[in-house]
Amino acid sequence: MNLKKWIRLSIITLSASLLLSGCGKKEDPNTIVFWNPLTGDDGAYMDNMVKAYNKTEPEFPVKSVVTSDMYTKIYTVLNSKKDVPDLTLIHADRVPGFVKADMLEPMTKVLKDKKEIKESNYLPQAWSAGEVENVQYTVPLDIHSSAMYYNKDLLKKYGVEHFLDDDVVTFDEMMSLKGKLDEGDYLVNNALLSWVILAEVINLNGDIQKDGQPAVNTPEMKQALESIKKIVEAGLMTPNGEDGYLMFQSGNVLFSTDGTWTSTAHDEVDGLNYGVTNIYAYSPDKFTNRASSHMFSMLKNEARTDEKEKGIAEFLEYVRENSIEWAKAGQIVASKEVVESPEFKDYKQSYFTSNEKELDSLHIFTYEYYPYIQEALDTYGLDIIYGDTSIEEGLATMQKFVEDKIAEGDNGG
């Protein structure tokens, strides 16, 4: 081989090796690849926890990968059996469907390896949401819930501070302000409306399923929609199509029905004098805050070794003891060691763990087809309460929407 040809081949070989090292780099087999769907500001707090854990120099460090459209990608990698992550953060309502589809590995070995990862050390709703037929498939990170924020200055302006005396604002109290608000002011916005509707269904002793079948077109759902529609018709709810969330932050709305995590955004608004309470209800005797949970899970993966599962157990035990960082994201941490600590009381969402009655109000839906019902309410709920669709037609449409989704067999993917 002449010198020029050797040099040319060497350059080609070097270029190829550089290309492969940049684009086809394999993951360190000792690294725990952790997928999560935290594309918002909360992703930064998760990264902080992972970085802090890795600074302890574990045998199996964690690589946090924020994965948009994560559920679609989960189905893709499980079908191909390639690049399946070692650890995932999924929502509670996904657990039953994933278990039914044989997509999750039980946490049996993790619980055996770390004795403090057990039911008594976590908030009960969060732990039980990961149990299917007496098998624990997840370890909870948090409970994230509906919340109702209130503008203290507006409550004083309209003389309704007493609405909060029993920690529950009722429909009757809300309707008492009909015609009494200044132009441009509103009683309540429609933020996370689908979550509010679900809470009212539970307040009415209803449910979203009957004998395993979806139950959307029900008397309780109808009454919930009628009640909220009356608020709209009274001119008390922010107009459809306008950003009621921002209107609350601008000081023109008394109550905002968004989530625990949005307290972090409200804190950044200069001059917003606000507090937090429960979602409005029919009576102080029964109130509900629709909730869910981010849950650590392990997808079925033959490549995951027993040693790596022990590494995962180490990480989850670290999170159990050190997740006060997650409270900064506005989340109700699932670990009792954290939520019962003095530090947690500094966060507004601690309101929902301040006593047993508040804790009991956090309702996590674990029905297999819950994601479809949520989607139906998100799609049609606003049209119904603002009168663009009749309640009867809307209920029938939502029921069929869910039934059609189930028939398609695409369980939330």
Side-chain angles (χ1 to χ4, degrees):
M1 181 184 296
N2 63 45
L3 183 60
K4 286 184 179 180
K5 186 174 182 180
W6 182 86
I7 292 173
R8 187 167 63 252
L9 287 173
S10 297
I11 291 173
I12 292 171
T13 302
L14 178 61
S15 299
S17 65
L18 289 173
L19 183 64
L20 287 171
S21 65
C23 300
K25 184 179 179 180
K26 288 188 176 181
E27 208 66 65
D28 183 336
N30 287 341
T31 296
I32 296 169
V33 178
F34 167 46
W35 281 12
N36 65 75
L38 306 172
T39 56
D41 294 339
D42 48 3
Y45 295 105
M46 177 56 70
D47 284 345
N48 289 341
M49 284 199 293
V50 170
K51 288 175 183 177
Y53 174 69
N54 287 338
K55 284 182 179 179
T56 68
E57 299 184 354
E59 180 181 357
F60 292 87
V62 176
K63 179 180 179 180
S64 179
V65 181
V66 177
T67 310
S68 61
D69 200 15
M70 188 185 75
Y71 293 112
T72 297
K73 291 179 180 177
I74 282 176
Y75 283 99
T76 300
V77 297
L78 285 179
N79 284 333
S80 68
K81 296 185 179 181
K82 294 180 180 179
D83 301 320
V84 179
D86 301 298
L87 187 66
T88 46
L89 195 68
I90 64 175
H91 292 88
D93 54 71
R94 298 284 175 160
V95 175
F98 278 18
V99 171
K100 184 177 180 180
D102 196 29
M103 294 165 59
L104 293 184
E105 190 76 32
M107 283 285 178
T108 308
K109 292 178 184 177
V110 169
L111 272 55
K112 184 177 180 180
D113 193 65
K114 291 296 177 182
K115 301 298 184 183
E116 294 307 306
I117 301 179
K118 58 184 179 180
E119 182 176 7
S120 60
N121 284 340
Y122 293 85
L123 297 180
Q125 302 98 314
W127 182 269
S128 63
E131 183 181 305
V132 179
E133 296 182 356
N134 298 315
V135 177
Q136 194 68 31
Y137 285 92
T138 65
V139 173
L141 170 64
D142 65 26
I143 293 179
H144 48 281
S145 166
S146 283
M148 190 162 79
Y149 299 100
Y150 57 89
N151 185 307
K152 295 180 180 180
D153 297 332
L154 286 181
L155 261 62
K156 184 176 182 179
K157 173 183 175 180
Y158 291 110
V160 293
E161 291 162 298
H162 64 278
F163 281 7
L164 301 174
D165 287 350
D166 53 14
D167 297 317
V168 178
V169 180
T170 66
F171 279 97
D172 288 342
E173 287 172 332
M174 296 170 78
M175 291 299 291
S176 72
L177 282 176
K178 179 180 179 180
K180 297 179 181 179
L181 302 182
D182 291 348
E183 185 176 352
D185 283 351
Y186 294 91
L187 175 70
V188 66
N189 61 18
N190 57 27
L192 284 183
L193 178 74
S194 60
W195 291 29
V196 175
I197 295 169
L198 289 164
E200 305 308 342
V201 169
I202 299 301
N203 287 337
L204 292 165
N205 299 312
D207 202 350
I208 58 172
Q209 61 89 26
K210 184 177 181 180
D211 299 327
Q213 298 303 310
V216 182
N217 192 354
T218 64
E220 294 84 8
M221 183 72 78
K222 182 179 181 182
Q223 186 175 343
L225 292 168
E226 287 173 340
S227 301
I228 299 171
K229 188 175 180 179
K230 287 179 182 177
I231 296 173
V232 172
E233 292 171 344
L236 296 171
M237 185 171 282
T238 53
N240 193 15
E242 296 192 21
D243 195 331
Y245 174 85
L246 290 180
M247 292 172 73
F248 174 77
Q249 290 188 334
S250 299
N252 297 111
V253 179
L254 278 74
F255 299 108
S256 178
T257 58
D258 44 278
T260 52
W261 59 92
T262 49
S263 61
T264 58
H266 295 331
D267 284 341
E268 295 177 358
V269 180
D270 290 338
L272 182 60
N273 185 19
Y274 81 100
V276 67
T277 189
N278 302 290
I279 294 297
Y280 51 87
Y282 293 93
S283 164
D285 298 329
K286 185 172 179 60
F287 58 94
T288 302
N289 297 292
R290 179 274 188 199
S292 186
S293 174
H294 289 112
M295 318 187 88
F296 293 107
S297 66
M298 297 186 298
L299 300 174
K300 286 287 179 102
N301 183 3
E302 294 179 0
R304 186 190 300 110
T305 63
D306 290 344
E307 290 75 19
K308 185 168 280 192
E309 282 199 35
K310 288 185 177 181
I312 289 171
E314 292 283 350
F315 174 61
L316 297 187
E317 173 64 2
Y318 176 87
V319 171
R320 186 187 72 80
E321 295 180 323
N322 298 279
S323 48
I324 192 66
E325 178 72 17
W326 193 237
K328 296 176 183 178
Q331 311 288 10
I332 303 167
V333 179
S335 167
K336 286 186 178 180
E337 183 163 326
V338 175
V339 296
E340 293 175 358
S341 68
E343 292 86 351
F344 187 69
K345 291 178 175 61
D346 293 335
Y347 297 92
K348 284 189 170 61
Q349 67 269 26
S350 65
Y351 174 86
F352 297 100
T353 57
S354 58
N355 58 60
E356 285 300 315
K357 198 170 183 181
E358 287 299 333
L359 186 57
D360 289 344
S361 78
L362 302 175
H363 186 93
I364 297 178
F365 288 91
T366 56
Y367 175 48
E368 178 183 354
Y369 298 117
Y370 171 84
Y372 297 149
I373 294 173
Q374 174 79 61
E375 186 179 355
L377 286 168
D378 287 337
T379 303
Y380 301 104
L382 287 172
D383 288 343
I384 295 171
I385 68 156
Y386 283 99
D388 296 326
T389 302
S390 72
I391 291 178
E392 290 74 15
E393 181 184 351
L395 286 171
T397 300
M398 288 193 294
Q399 182 73 33
K400 186 176 186 304
F401 176 93
V402 175
E403 291 173 352
D404 287 348
K405 284 281 187 178
I406 294 171
E408 291 170 10
D410 178 18
N411 186 23

